[in-house]
Amino acid sequence: MNELSEELLHSVIKKRPELSHKGTFGRVVLIGGNERYGGAIIMSAEAAVNSGAGLITVVTAEKNHAPLHARLPEVMVIDWLQIQDIQAVLAEADVILIGPGLGLSEHSHTLLQLVIQEQQAKHWLVIDGSGITLFAKYHYQLAYPQQAVFTPHQMEWQRLSGLTIPNQTVKNNQTAQKTLDSHLVLKSHRTTIYTFNDYFVNPLGNPGMATGGMGDTLAGMITGFLAQFDAKKDALCAAVYLHSLIGDVLGQDHYVVLPTEISKQIPYYMKRFEQ
Amino acid sequence: MNELSEELLHSVIKKRPELSHKGTFGRVVLIGGNERYGGAIIMSAEAAVNSGAGLITVVTAEKNHAPLHARLPEVMVIDWLQIQDIQAVLAEADVILIGPGLGLSEHSHTLLQLVIQEQQAKHWLVIDGSGITLFAKYHYQLAYPQQAVFTPHQMEWQRLSGLTIPNQTVKNNQTAQKTLDSHLVLKSHRTTIYTFNDYFVNPLGNPGMATGGMGDTLAGMITGFLAQFDAKKDALCAAVYLHSLIGDVLGQDHYVVLPTEISKQIPYYMKRFEQ
Amino acid sequence: MNELSEELLHSVIKKRPELSHKGTFGRVVLIGGNERYGGAIIMSAEAAVNSGAGLITVVTAEKNHAPLHARLPEVMVIDWLQIQDIQAVLAEADVILIGPGLGLSEHSHTLLQLVIQEQQAKHWLVIDGSGITLFAKYHYQLAYPQQAVFTPHQMEWQRLSGLTIPNQTVKNNQTAQKTLDSHLVLKSHRTTIYTFNDYFVNPLGNPGMATGGMGDTLAGMITGFLAQFDAKKDALCAAVYLHSLIGDVLGQDHYVVLPTEISKQIPYYMKRFEQ
Amino acid sequence: MNELSEELLHSVIKKRPELSHKGTFGRVVLIGGNERYGGAIIMSAEAAVNSGAGLITVVTAEKNHAPLHARLPEVMVIDWLQIQDIQAVLAEADVILIGPGLGLSEHSHTLLQLVIQEQQAKHWLVIDGSGITLFAKYHYQLAYPQQAVFTPHQMEWQRLSGLTIPNQTVKNNQTAQKTLDSHLVLKSHRTTIYTFNDYFVNPLGNPGMATGGMGDTLAGMITGFLAQFDAKKDALCAAVYLHSLIGDVLGQDHYVVLPTEISKQIPYYMKRFEQ
């Protein structure tokens, strides 16, 4: 076991190379946001943009395009019904996030299937929220499981691993993660990251962060970090740690910490820890 | 008679338990916002989110979804025509607010009927604005009246109680509240809260707060406080007091105090009074 | 001739009475914003809300409702095609603004006609932008011309008065204003207000304010001031002066002064001059 | 070769004349933003407004109107399918920007054709993004090429000039620019401006600016500067330099610099350098 710490931020967040362009910092596709949970994918997108991902396309129900662009013109959008366009954009992606506000409909399922089927050796996947529930329900297998991150809360992890919450001990989680053969971010009041050789406990976070959208923001940050930084396991850990670190700072003078407030702070904190 | 005071804030606003998740801080449904008054339910939602309610679903006319999400991706939305979805979300709720911008149409009436019919022992209801007018018109009875809060202004209270404004004396209001058998927040330049054993006068508030949307914001705060804090009567009183306290601070350098400005300040003030 | 000065702000901006409610501060209807110029009526609405008008309804093309509410949930909206609803809301109004972004279509004309036809003794009208152009074209007569304010720029004044810009001398303007029998705010780099007995020159304003939307914001401020303050001529002058005063302060460190930035400052400046 | 420097900002950014109106500061038309890349034209518009262009019309897919107005009511909008309206507004324009988020569809092509065909002696054109790709593909000729600015990144320049990226030497670029007979802003980590007699290297900029939308913002600034300042070549250079200067200041405490954050700062920086 390791406890995450600030050192990790220093080692992960590299000074950007002078000779670079937006493609250098990753092409990202974010998939989610149905008619009801559109806010979720908006919050993921805000986190990914503020984390520094270079080029971001959001695939979401058409009704979410206007509020997304009203908040964040920095992203591109695709109606989630346009399967061909989605395939084209997936083919060029570095990291794909699926799940925030995705829902459990037939169409949500179609999109998850598409992502799984299109995964290439170069792709990293982040599977969150209802993406995890669907993944569990249909017993999917990934082509490149080691290039995937699952970000369940405890109930979603129960669905995916079969472990009831009281049985989610470190030992059992490690066994289940080995079977899954992917990275695991198990969210709770002390989020734990299970990787192939070790597990990492996040010492930060506070109950003011227990509010709708906090996980969507974390998923967006993880996606942004994976898009930019080569040491993927460390990038993952750094995103989790920084998310809570910002939450703790905001929590000092906010009774509730809004996820969108965390996103606004990301560029400042990343600069502070830039190596 | 008691006068509300800051002590109440200290006693109500508990430090959040470490072992908690967003469900710990309440599931809330906010119903309102027709084609014309969509801003009202948006303002209620902003107040509820900033007050710290854990999970919030807004049931409103579809045209209001985009502006709501443009301001507040933290909430979920349901088209107010989807009765089955609304029933499902009501069944899981802790607190239900109905009324801000609801209007007086046939469909507004249908929604109020639905809420009344679905009230369970675990539910708290907040009935505001046109919800009160409709309630009065159709002489409804609640299954659990003591778990309801009515938040009329004086004209709405006249409709509900039959008391003309000059007759709205403390004594008459107390009698009418006993008949109603619910909590009453009677809004005026000195808002008074009538509960089962006592009544409480709010000493704060200022005429800069007399602007459209102030009541919608208060209703959202009350809903957020009821969702999180166990001592319901005190939570109600604390929401009323804090709403005015923030309004008074803003009123020191604003000629008019916008309701949305109050909502932005809630997390800071709650932290300040956190016990 | 008088030059406007800060004293006017002190005399106009009264401390609000303790015993008041939102109706005390006026019911306002703002009409404008077609498919192309929707931003204009949004800017007027922001100015009116921030000036402290109590209850504001915006009548505009349906496509403008979402962006308006995304910025300003404090207002109510009516689709500008709903003539009956508009009539109902006009009947209850204290001040009506027509013109910002109204356009020159058949329907724009219908709306202007409606406002003119519905003017009652209690109504104040503010006629701005394309409302003036249409008024001039169709040679309208108001029932209560002395309770109207026209806010043309020089070209619009030419259309309304028949005076070409070089002929818009004080003397000629006074004669034309007497014929018009209404208040006149003639906008230029030194805006001049012609009332029944006198005219007032605004010494403030700067070329950084010469940008799209500045007039829409002024029209909204005038409307908000007329809604709240009894001395109508003074209220009109105070709105013009304060608009420029804020613009001049912002202009000290902004090369261009955005109209929406002026609106945000109004509550602070009104408080500062509150008597 | 010259290196751009702050002196240029002082010489270009003139104090605005007292006797002026919004028309004095230019009529601008911005064309772009399809169903997928609507954010691009929104970011161009924000840059143009904050740069001080007097009157701005945005021609974009109808779905982009609401998010644009939610962020920026200061602009006018035209549905990009309304060819007649577009022709009318082009006829009155001083500067036309085409390209940000334009896409490569049949209709994108139609709009580019329209702009080329309508160019008059008084018009300045800025051709950006997919506008350049289309221009290259169809081998267009401008009627007034010397009143055009192309703003390609290196891949777009390859399409336009036929020079592969390794062959994009100063000498080759100069030759190709002479053939093109227009101004060239060749974007890279050290953006270079090729004019008829010289070329100018931008010494500023940082890799935190390598994020989606940065070029759209630059195109909007260039358009705004051309609209206001008479020395067109200098205005072009000043816009490029100021864009990077603001980006560098923001980059001191932001790991990633969002394009929309740059736009917000423009009015302050222009004021600082105002002559």
Side-chain angles (χ1 to χ4, degrees), chain B residues 12 27 30 50 66 70 74 89 92 135 141 162 176 179 186 198 206-208 221 226 232 242-243 270:
Chain B
V12 166
R27 287 165 203 276
L30 312 176
N50 281 288
E74 284 86 352
V89 85
E92 293 184 2
F135 192 94
Q141 285 295 329
T179 308
L186 181 51
D198 211 342
N206 67 81
M221 283 186 73
L226 290 175
K232 300 303 182 189
L242 185 60
H243 176 259
M270 287 184 75

PDB file of all heavy atoms in Angstrom, chain B residues 12 27 30 50 66 70 74 89 92 135 141 162 176 179 186 198 206-208 221 226 232 242-243 270:
ATOM      1  N   VAL B  12     -27.953  24.273  13.802  1.00  0.00           N
ATOM      2  CA  VAL B  12     -28.481  23.484  12.673  1.00  0.00           C
ATOM      3  C   VAL B  12     -27.380  22.983  11.755  1.00  0.00           C
ATOM      4  O   VAL B  12     -27.377  21.827  11.329  1.00  0.00           O
ATOM      5  CB  VAL B  12     -29.499  24.319  11.868  1.00  0.00           C
ATOM      6  CG1 VAL B  12     -29.805  23.665  10.519  1.00  0.00           C
ATOM      7  CG2 VAL B  12     -30.774  24.510  12.669  1.00  0.00           C
ATOM      8  N   ARG B  27     -31.950  13.373  -1.193  1.00  0.00           N
ATOM      9  CA  ARG B  27     -32.418  13.336  -2.573  1.00  0.00           C
ATOM     10  C   ARG B  27     -33.598  14.278  -2.683  1.00  0.00           C
ATOM     11  O   ARG B  27     -34.576  14.149  -1.939  1.00  0.00           O
ATOM     12  CB  ARG B  27     -32.859  11.912  -2.941  1.00  0.00           C
ATOM     13  CG  ARG B  27     -31.698  10.973  -3.107  1.00  0.00           C
ATOM     14  CD  ARG B  27     -32.114   9.517  -3.114  1.00  0.00           C
ATOM     15  NE  ARG B  27     -30.986   8.696  -2.732  1.00  0.00           N
ATOM     16  CZ  ARG B  27     -30.034   8.291  -3.593  1.00  0.00           C
ATOM     17  NH1 ARG B  27     -30.119   8.594  -4.875  1.00  0.00           N
ATOM     18  NH2 ARG B  27     -29.013   7.569  -3.168  1.00  0.00           N
ATOM     19  N   LEU B  30     -37.350  18.994  -7.391  1.00  0.00           N
ATOM     20  CA  LEU B  30     -37.894  20.356  -7.492  1.00  0.00           C
ATOM     21  C   LEU B  30     -38.816  20.405  -8.698  1.00  0.00           C
ATOM     22  O   LEU B  30     -38.384  20.102  -9.817  1.00  0.00           O
ATOM     23  CB  LEU B  30     -36.760  21.368  -7.687  1.00  0.00           C
ATOM     24  CG  LEU B  30     -35.555  21.268  -6.746  1.00  0.00           C
ATOM     25  CD1 LEU B  30     -34.488  22.301  -7.148  1.00  0.00           C
ATOM     26  CD2 LEU B  30     -35.963  21.471  -5.306  1.00  0.00           C
ATOM     27  N   ASN B  50     -26.494  25.012  -3.884  1.00  0.00           N
ATOM     28  CA  ASN B  50     -25.535  25.744  -3.059  1.00  0.00           C
ATOM     29  C   ASN B  50     -25.768  25.551  -1.564  1.00  0.00           C
ATOM     30  O   ASN B  50     -24.867  25.786  -0.762  1.00  0.00           O
ATOM     31  CB  ASN B  50     -25.542  27.230  -3.427  1.00  0.00           C
ATOM     32  CG  ASN B  50     -24.753  27.496  -4.699  1.00  0.00           C
ATOM     33  OD1 ASN B  50     -23.532  27.425  -4.696  1.00  0.00           O
ATOM     34  ND2 ASN B  50     -25.443  27.757  -5.805  1.00  0.00           N
ATOM     35  N   ALA B  66     -32.248  23.582 -21.101  1.00  0.00           N
ATOM     36  CA  ALA B  66     -30.974  24.129 -21.601  1.00  0.00           C
ATOM     37  C   ALA B  66     -30.479  25.301 -20.741  1.00  0.00           C
ATOM     38  O   ALA B  66     -29.328  25.292 -20.306  1.00  0.00           O
ATOM     39  CB  ALA B  66     -31.087  24.522 -23.069  1.00  0.00           C
ATOM     40  N   ALA B  70     -27.119  25.239 -18.568  1.00  0.00           N
ATOM     41  CA  ALA B  70     -26.086  26.234 -18.880  1.00  0.00           C
ATOM     42  C   ALA B  70     -25.596  26.915 -17.600  1.00  0.00           C
ATOM     43  O   ALA B  70     -24.453  27.343 -17.521  1.00  0.00           O
ATOM     44  CB  ALA B  70     -26.619  27.274 -19.863  1.00  0.00           C
ATOM     45  N   GLU B  74     -24.922  20.690 -12.260  1.00  0.00           N
ATOM     46  CA  GLU B  74     -24.960  19.811 -11.086  1.00  0.00           C
ATOM     47  C   GLU B  74     -26.302  19.102 -10.900  1.00  0.00           C
ATOM     48  O   GLU B  74     -26.379  18.162 -10.099  1.00  0.00           O
ATOM     49  CB  GLU B  74     -24.602  20.597  -9.815  1.00  0.00           C
ATOM     50  CG  GLU B  74     -23.119  20.905  -9.662  1.00  0.00           C
ATOM     51  CD  GLU B  74     -22.650  22.181 -10.356  1.00  0.00           C
ATOM     52  OE1 GLU B  74     -23.444  22.794 -11.104  1.00  0.00           O
ATOM     53  OE2 GLU B  74     -21.504  22.582 -10.144  1.00  0.00           O
ATOM     54  N   VAL B  89     -38.988   9.102  -9.598  1.00  0.00           N
ATOM     55  CA  VAL B  89     -38.048   9.946  -8.872  1.00  0.00           C
ATOM     56  C   VAL B  89     -38.654  10.445  -7.546  1.00  0.00           C
ATOM     57  O   VAL B  89     -37.948  10.591  -6.543  1.00  0.00           O
ATOM     58  CB  VAL B  89     -37.522  11.061  -9.800  1.00  0.00           C
ATOM     59  CG1 VAL B  89     -38.438  12.240  -9.824  1.00  0.00           C
ATOM     60  CG2 VAL B  89     -36.115  11.459  -9.427  1.00  0.00           C
ATOM     61  N   GLU B  92     -38.192   7.941  -4.651  1.00  0.00           N
ATOM     62  CA  GLU B  92     -36.861   7.884  -4.028  1.00  0.00           C
ATOM     63  C   GLU B  92     -36.464   9.171  -3.308  1.00  0.00           C
ATOM     64  O   GLU B  92     -35.369   9.258  -2.760  1.00  0.00           O
ATOM     65  CB  GLU B  92     -35.805   7.583  -5.100  1.00  0.00           C
ATOM     66  CG  GLU B  92     -35.957   6.191  -5.680  1.00  0.00           C
ATOM     67  CD  GLU B  92     -34.836   5.880  -6.673  1.00  0.00           C
ATOM     68  OE1 GLU B  92     -33.946   6.740  -6.864  1.00  0.00           O
ATOM     69  OE2 GLU B  92     -34.866   4.788  -7.255  1.00  0.00           O
ATOM     70  N   PHE B 135     -53.369  24.588  -4.483  1.00  0.00           N
ATOM     71  CA  PHE B 135     -53.730  23.811  -3.293  1.00  0.00           C
ATOM     72  C   PHE B 135     -54.986  24.396  -2.649  1.00  0.00           C
ATOM     73  O   PHE B 135     -55.904  23.671  -2.253  1.00  0.00           O
ATOM     74  CB  PHE B 135     -52.559  23.826  -2.301  1.00  0.00           C
ATOM     75  CG  PHE B 135     -52.677  22.846  -1.185  1.00  0.00           C
ATOM     76  CD1 PHE B 135     -52.091  21.581  -1.289  1.00  0.00           C
ATOM     77  CD2 PHE B 135     -53.379  23.156  -0.024  1.00  0.00           C
ATOM     78  CE1 PHE B 135     -52.194  20.656  -0.248  1.00  0.00           C
ATOM     79  CE2 PHE B 135     -53.488  22.237   1.011  1.00  0.00           C
ATOM     80  CZ  PHE B 135     -52.900  20.987   0.901  1.00  0.00           C
ATOM     81  N   GLN B 141     -56.115  17.823   0.753  1.00  0.00           N
ATOM     82  CA  GLN B 141     -55.690  17.338   2.061  1.00  0.00           C
ATOM     83  C   GLN B 141     -54.418  16.539   1.848  1.00  0.00           C
ATOM     84  O   GLN B 141     -54.338  15.724   0.929  1.00  0.00           O
ATOM     85  CB  GLN B 141     -56.756  16.393   2.664  1.00  0.00           C
ATOM     86  CG  GLN B 141     -57.990  17.099   3.198  1.00  0.00           C
ATOM     87  CD  GLN B 141     -57.671  17.996   4.384  1.00  0.00           C
ATOM     88  OE1 GLN B 141     -56.753  17.718   5.156  1.00  0.00           O
ATOM     89  NE2 GLN B 141     -58.420  19.085   4.517  1.00  0.00           N
ATOM     90  N   GLY B 162     -58.001  31.930   3.830  1.00  0.00           N
ATOM     91  CA  GLY B 162     -59.227  32.724   3.852  1.00  0.00           C
ATOM     92  C   GLY B 162     -59.096  34.039   4.606  1.00  0.00           C
ATOM     93  O   GLY B 162     -60.038  34.825   4.651  1.00  0.00           O
ATOM     94  N   ALA B 176     -55.234  29.446  11.841  1.00  0.00           N
ATOM     95  CA  ALA B 176     -55.292  28.907  10.469  1.00  0.00           C
ATOM     96  C   ALA B 176     -54.201  27.864  10.248  1.00  0.00           C
ATOM     97  O   ALA B 176     -54.413  26.857   9.568  1.00  0.00           O
ATOM     98  CB  ALA B 176     -55.157  30.037   9.455  1.00  0.00           C
ATOM     99  N   THR B 179     -55.274  24.578  11.704  1.00  0.00           N
ATOM    100  CA  THR B 179     -56.206  23.902  10.806  1.00  0.00           C
ATOM    101  C   THR B 179     -55.465  23.250   9.637  1.00  0.00           C
ATOM    102  O   THR B 179     -55.721  22.110   9.265  1.00  0.00           O
ATOM    103  CB  THR B 179     -57.224  24.925  10.240  1.00  0.00           C
ATOM    104  OG1 THR B 179     -57.796  25.633  11.315  1.00  0.00           O
ATOM    105  CG2 THR B 179     -58.296  24.235   9.406  1.00  0.00           C
ATOM    106  N   LEU B 186     -44.668  32.505   6.418  1.00  0.00           N
ATOM    107  CA  LEU B 186     -45.466  33.610   5.869  1.00  0.00           C
ATOM    108  C   LEU B 186     -44.528  34.762   5.526  1.00  0.00           C
ATOM    109  O   LEU B 186     -44.006  35.441   6.414  1.00  0.00           O
ATOM    110  CB  LEU B 186     -46.541  34.033   6.875  1.00  0.00           C
ATOM    111  CG  LEU B 186     -47.468  35.168   6.421  1.00  0.00           C
ATOM    112  CD1 LEU B 186     -48.086  34.919   5.054  1.00  0.00           C
ATOM    113  CD2 LEU B 186     -48.557  35.404   7.469  1.00  0.00           C
ATOM    114  N   ASP B 198     -45.084  27.055  18.312  1.00  0.00           N
ATOM    115  CA  ASP B 198     -44.569  28.406  18.513  1.00  0.00           C
ATOM    116  C   ASP B 198     -44.543  29.146  17.175  1.00  0.00           C
ATOM    117  O   ASP B 198     -44.855  28.593  16.138  1.00  0.00           O
ATOM    118  CB  ASP B 198     -43.139  28.294  19.070  1.00  0.00           C
ATOM    119  CG  ASP B 198     -42.800  29.462  19.994  1.00  0.00           C
ATOM    120  OD1 ASP B 198     -43.482  30.491  19.943  1.00  0.00           O
ATOM    121  OD2 ASP B 198     -41.819  29.317  20.752  1.00  0.00           O
ATOM    122  N   ASN B 206     -34.206  43.062   4.001  1.00  0.00           N
ATOM    123  CA  ASN B 206     -34.170  44.486   3.651  1.00  0.00           C
ATOM    124  C   ASN B 206     -34.892  44.704   2.338  1.00  0.00           C
ATOM    125  O   ASN B 206     -35.062  43.765   1.557  1.00  0.00           O
ATOM    126  CB  ASN B 206     -32.709  44.949   3.570  1.00  0.00           C
ATOM    127  CG  ASN B 206     -31.968  44.305   2.425  1.00  0.00           C
ATOM    128  OD1 ASN B 206     -32.088  44.751   1.277  1.00  0.00           O
ATOM    129  ND2 ASN B 206     -31.234  43.215   2.690  1.00  0.00           N
ATOM    130  N   PRO B 207     -35.324  45.931   2.082  1.00  0.00           N
ATOM    131  CA  PRO B 207     -36.149  46.177   0.889  1.00  0.00           C
ATOM    132  C   PRO B 207     -35.392  46.008  -0.438  1.00  0.00           C
ATOM    133  O   PRO B 207     -36.023  45.904  -1.483  1.00  0.00           O
ATOM    134  CB  PRO B 207     -36.648  47.607   1.085  1.00  0.00           C
ATOM    135  CG  PRO B 207     -35.729  48.230   2.077  1.00  0.00           C
ATOM    136  CD  PRO B 207     -35.211  47.131   2.942  1.00  0.00           C
ATOM    137  N   GLY B 208     -34.066  45.955  -0.396  1.00  0.00           N
ATOM    138  CA  GLY B 208     -33.314  45.646  -1.622  1.00  0.00           C
ATOM    139  C   GLY B 208     -33.569  44.234  -2.105  1.00  0.00           C
ATOM    140  O   GLY B 208     -33.302  43.902  -3.262  1.00  0.00           O
ATOM    141  N   MET B 221     -33.590  27.083  -0.767  1.00  0.00           N
ATOM    142  CA  MET B 221     -32.771  26.951   0.444  1.00  0.00           C
ATOM    143  C   MET B 221     -33.467  26.093   1.487  1.00  0.00           C
ATOM    144  O   MET B 221     -32.853  25.228   2.119  1.00  0.00           O
ATOM    145  CB  MET B 221     -32.468  28.326   1.056  1.00  0.00           C
ATOM    146  CG  MET B 221     -31.406  29.110   0.334  1.00  0.00           C
ATOM    147  SD  MET B 221     -30.981  30.660   1.243  1.00  0.00           S
ATOM    148  CE  MET B 221     -30.035  30.010   2.642  1.00  0.00           C
ATOM    149  N   LEU B 226     -33.824  21.165   4.611  1.00  0.00           N
ATOM    150  CA  LEU B 226     -34.626  20.013   5.066  1.00  0.00           C
ATOM    151  C   LEU B 226     -33.994  18.697   4.611  1.00  0.00           C
ATOM    152  O   LEU B 226     -34.100  17.677   5.291  1.00  0.00           O
ATOM    153  CB  LEU B 226     -36.059  20.110   4.522  1.00  0.00           C
ATOM    154  CG  LEU B 226     -36.944  21.209   5.097  1.00  0.00           C
ATOM    155  CD1 LEU B 226     -38.290  21.239   4.372  1.00  0.00           C
ATOM    156  CD2 LEU B 226     -37.162  21.020   6.603  1.00  0.00           C
ATOM    157  N   LYS B 232     -36.068  19.262  11.718  1.00  0.00           N
ATOM    158  CA  LYS B 232     -36.701  19.903  10.560  1.00  0.00           C
ATOM    159  C   LYS B 232     -37.181  21.314  10.862  1.00  0.00           C
ATOM    160  O   LYS B 232     -37.012  22.214  10.055  1.00  0.00           O
ATOM    161  CB  LYS B 232     -37.875  19.056  10.058  1.00  0.00           C
ATOM    162  CG  LYS B 232     -37.499  17.643   9.607  1.00  0.00           C
ATOM    163  CD  LYS B 232     -36.439  17.625   8.502  1.00  0.00           C
ATOM    164  CE  LYS B 232     -36.128  16.205   8.063  1.00  0.00           C
ATOM    165  NZ  LYS B 232     -34.974  16.129   7.154  1.00  0.00           N
ATOM    166  N   LEU B 242     -30.841  32.542   7.349  1.00  0.00           N
ATOM    167  CA  LEU B 242     -29.600  32.687   6.577  1.00  0.00           C
ATOM    168  C   LEU B 242     -29.848  33.414   5.250  1.00  0.00           C
ATOM    169  O   LEU B 242     -29.036  34.234   4.811  1.00  0.00           O
ATOM    170  CB  LEU B 242     -28.957  31.317   6.304  1.00  0.00           C
ATOM    171  CG  LEU B 242     -27.598  31.376   5.603  1.00  0.00           C
ATOM    172  CD1 LEU B 242     -26.586  32.160   6.436  1.00  0.00           C
ATOM    173  CD2 LEU B 242     -27.058  29.971   5.329  1.00  0.00           C
ATOM    174  N   HIS B 243     -30.982  33.114   4.639  1.00  0.00           N
ATOM    175  CA  HIS B 243     -31.354  33.791   3.388  1.00  0.00           C
ATOM    176  C   HIS B 243     -31.365  35.314   3.592  1.00  0.00           C
ATOM    177  O   HIS B 243     -30.782  36.068   2.786  1.00  0.00           O
ATOM    178  CB  HIS B 243     -32.734  33.270   2.973  1.00  0.00           C
ATOM    179  CG  HIS B 243     -33.349  33.902   1.769  1.00  0.00           C
ATOM    180  ND1 HIS B 243     -34.318  34.870   1.856  1.00  0.00           N
ATOM    181  CD2 HIS B 243     -33.147  33.693   0.449  1.00  0.00           C
ATOM    182  CE1 HIS B 243     -34.700  35.222   0.630  1.00  0.00           C
ATOM    183  NE2 HIS B 243     -33.987  34.532  -0.252  1.00  0.00           N
ATOM    184  N   MET B 270     -22.594  29.077   5.108  1.00  0.00           N
ATOM    185  CA  MET B 270     -22.849  27.839   5.845  1.00  0.00           C
ATOM    186  C   MET B 270     -21.561  27.372   6.521  1.00  0.00           C
ATOM    187  O   MET B 270     -21.576  26.894   7.649  1.00  0.00           O
ATOM    188  CB  MET B 270     -23.409  26.766   4.919  1.00  0.00           C
ATOM    189  CG  MET B 270     -24.854  27.048   4.513  1.00  0.00           C
ATOM    190  SD  MET B 270     -25.586  25.733   3.490  1.00  0.00           S
ATOM    191  CE  MET B 270     -25.881  24.460   4.729  1.00  0.00           C
TER     192      MET B 270
END
